[in-house]
C-alpha cells in the first residue's frame, strides 16, 4: 500500500510514518502530481485559539488543508478525529452510530473535528474515521500526564479530578494496518475501557503535583466496536498508562 500521511512532525502522525512508511504531505510543499492508495490525515493545529482573534486562521488552516488533501487521488481516506466530538458529560457511553447533539458541543476542537468528519464522509466514498482518545507514545507532545511523570516540581492548570482515556500509539498503528488490510469503513471509537484521573496516576506514581482549577472530563466513549476486532483495546486506561510508563527509559514503573 502506498500511504500519504499528514501531520508527521510529531505525535501519532510521526509514529504512523515510521510504522507504515509512505510519503509525507505538507501543505506548503505538496507536489501537484502526488497520488496515494491510502491517505491518513493526522495534521491538526497544536491547540485551538483562546480568543476570537485567532479563530480565522484556525478555521482556514484546518478546513482548507483538509480540502486540498482530499483532492489528492486516492483509494481510501483515513481521518484521525477525536472523542472530543462527544459532548461530556454523558450518562451512557458514547456510540459511533448515534448522531452527535450539536447543541451540547462546547469544545472548539470537537466542533472542528466533527465538521471535518462530515466533509470527509461527503467527499470520500471509501473513508475510515478514527475517533481517538488521549494518545501515548514516544513521539507524543508533552501533556499533563507527561509532565506528571517528568517534571519536578510539577504544576498543572488541570484539577486532580480531571479524567482522561488513553490508548497507545502502537495499538492505534496496528489497528490502522488491520483496518486498511480489511478495508474497514465508517467510524470507530479508538478508546480503552474506562477513564482514569490524573490524581490517581500521580498517587500511584508517588508524584507531588500542584493542581490547577481547570477540570477536564473526557467523554465516555464506547469501545465495543473496535475491541471486538482488536483485543488490544480491551485494556483499561490505567493499564495503558502502566504499559506506557514501563516502556520509558529510566522511569520507575507504576
Amino acid at each position: 500500500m502506498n500511504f500519504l500521511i499528514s501531520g508527521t512532525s510529531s505525535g501519532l502522525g510521526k509514529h504512523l510514518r515510521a510504522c507504515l512508511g509512505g510519503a509525507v504531505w505538507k501543505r506548503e510543499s505538496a507536489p501537484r502530481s502526488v497520488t496515494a492508495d491510502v491517505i491518513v490525515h493526522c495534521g491538526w493545529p497544536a491547540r485551538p485559539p483562546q480568543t476570537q482573534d485567532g479563530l480565522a486562521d484556525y478555521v482556514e488552516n484546518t478546513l482548507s488543508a483538509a480540502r486540498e488533501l482530499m483532492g489528492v487521488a486516492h483509494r481510501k481516506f483515513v481521518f484521525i478525529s477525536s472523542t472530543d466530538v462527544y459532548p461530556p458529560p454523558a450518562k451512557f457511553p458514547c456510540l459511533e452510530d448515534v448522531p452527535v447533539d450539536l447543541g451540547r458541543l462546547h469544545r472548539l476542537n470537537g466542533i472542528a473535528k466533527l465538521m471535518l468528519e462530515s466533509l470527509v464522509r461527503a467527499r470520500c466514498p471509501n473513508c475510515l474515521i478514527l475517533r481517538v482518545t488521549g494518545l501515548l507514545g514516544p513521539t507524543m507532545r508533552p501533556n499533563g500526564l507527561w509532565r506528571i511523570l517528568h517534571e519536578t516540581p510539577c504544576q498543572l492548570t488541570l484539577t486532580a479530578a480531571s479524567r482522561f482515556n488513553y490508548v497507545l500509539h502502537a495499538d492505534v498503528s496496528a489497528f490502522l494496518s488491520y483496518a486498511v488490510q480489511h478495508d474497514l469503513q465508517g467510524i470507530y471509537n479508538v478508546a480503552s475501557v474506562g477513564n482514569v484521573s490524573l490524581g490517581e496516576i500521580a498517587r500511584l506514581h508517588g508524584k507531588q503535583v500542584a493542581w490547577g482549577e481547570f477540570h477536564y472530563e473526557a467523554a465516555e466513549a464506547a469501545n465495543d466496536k473496535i475491541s471486538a476486532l482488536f483485543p488490544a483495546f480491551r485494556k483499561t486506561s490505567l493499564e495503558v498508562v502502566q504499559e506506557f510508563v514501563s516502556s520509558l527509559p529510566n522511569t520507575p514503573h507504576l
Side-chain angles (χ1 to χ4, degrees), residues 5-15 17 23-26 42-43:
I5 306 174
S6 70
T8 59
S9 60
S10 64
L12 179 63
K14 185 173 183 178
H15 177 83
R17 174 71 169 80
V24 173
W25 188 87
K26 293 184 179 180
C42 297

Side-chain angles (χ1 to χ4, degrees), residues 9-250:
S9 60
S10 64
L12 179 63
K14 185 173 183 178
H15 177 83
L16 292 177
R17 174 71 169 80
C19 294
L20 304 176
V24 173
W25 188 87
K26 293 184 179 180
R27 184 183 181 192
E28 61 275 11
S29 59
R32 296 181 180 180
S33 60
V34 67
T35 61
D37 294 317
V38 182
I39 294 175
V40 184
H41 185 25
C42 297
W44 202 256
R47 61 180 60 188
Q50 299 301 305
T51 67
Q52 186 177 350
D53 293 340
L55 193 56
D57 287 341
Y58 179 79
V59 173
E60 175 67 20
N61 289 338
T62 54
L63 291 181
S64 60
R67 284 196 297 263
E68 290 180 22
L69 188 54
M70 282 185 278
V72 174
H74 62 275
R75 293 168 51 192
K76 188 178 193 66
F77 195 98
V78 181
F79 175 47
I80 306 300
S81 186
S82 168
T83 54
D84 277 350
V85 301
Y86 297 119
K91 295 182 180 179
F92 304 100
C94 301
L95 299 169
E96 297 95 331
D97 299 325
V98 176
V100 175
D101 183 354
L102 299 180
R104 295 181 56 222
L105 287 176
H106 62 272
R107 291 176 183 157
L108 181 57
N109 182 66
I111 294 171
K113 290 279 189 182
L114 197 61
M115 290 172 62
L116 282 197
E117 284 189 14
S118 298
L119 195 62
V120 169
R121 295 172 74 181
R123 295 193 176 186
C124 304
N126 184 353
C127 67
L128 175 66
I129 294 171
L130 303 183
R131 291 175 175 169
V132 300
T133 60
L135 293 161
L136 302 181
T139 58
M140 65 188 279
R141 293 170 176 166
N143 56 18
L145 173 62
W146 186 93
R147 294 181 61 190
I148 289 172
L149 296 174
H150 292 87
E151 294 182 3
T152 303
C154 178
Q155 184 170 358
L156 300 179
T157 58
L158 292 161
T159 67
S162 291
R163 292 173 58 80
F164 290 80
N165 189 289
Y166 293 109
V167 293
L168 296 172
H169 283 173
D171 291 337
V172 178
S173 63
F175 175 73
L176 181 53
S177 296
Y178 173 91
V180 169
Q181 180 182 356
H182 292 83
D183 198 25
L184 298 185
Q185 300 179 23
I187 303 173
Y188 286 80
N189 288 335
V190 183
S192 297
V193 179
N195 299 343
V196 62
S197 72
L198 292 181
E200 182 179 0
I201 295 171
R203 287 192 299 273
L204 288 173
H205 204 222
K207 297 289 290 186
Q208 297 296 318
V209 179
W211 302 101
E213 298 182 354
F214 178 77
H215 181 75
Y216 179 86
E217 190 74 28
E220 293 281 353
N223 75 339
D224 305 61
K225 187 175 178 180
I226 193 170
S227 62
L229 297 174
F230 230 68
F233 295 101
R234 296 173 188 169
K235 293 177 284 193
T236 67
S237 285
L238 184 57
E239 288 172 335
V240 169
V241 172
Q242 290 172 318
E243 187 174 343
F244 171 67
V245 172
S246 66
S247 71
L248 297 175
N250 304 319

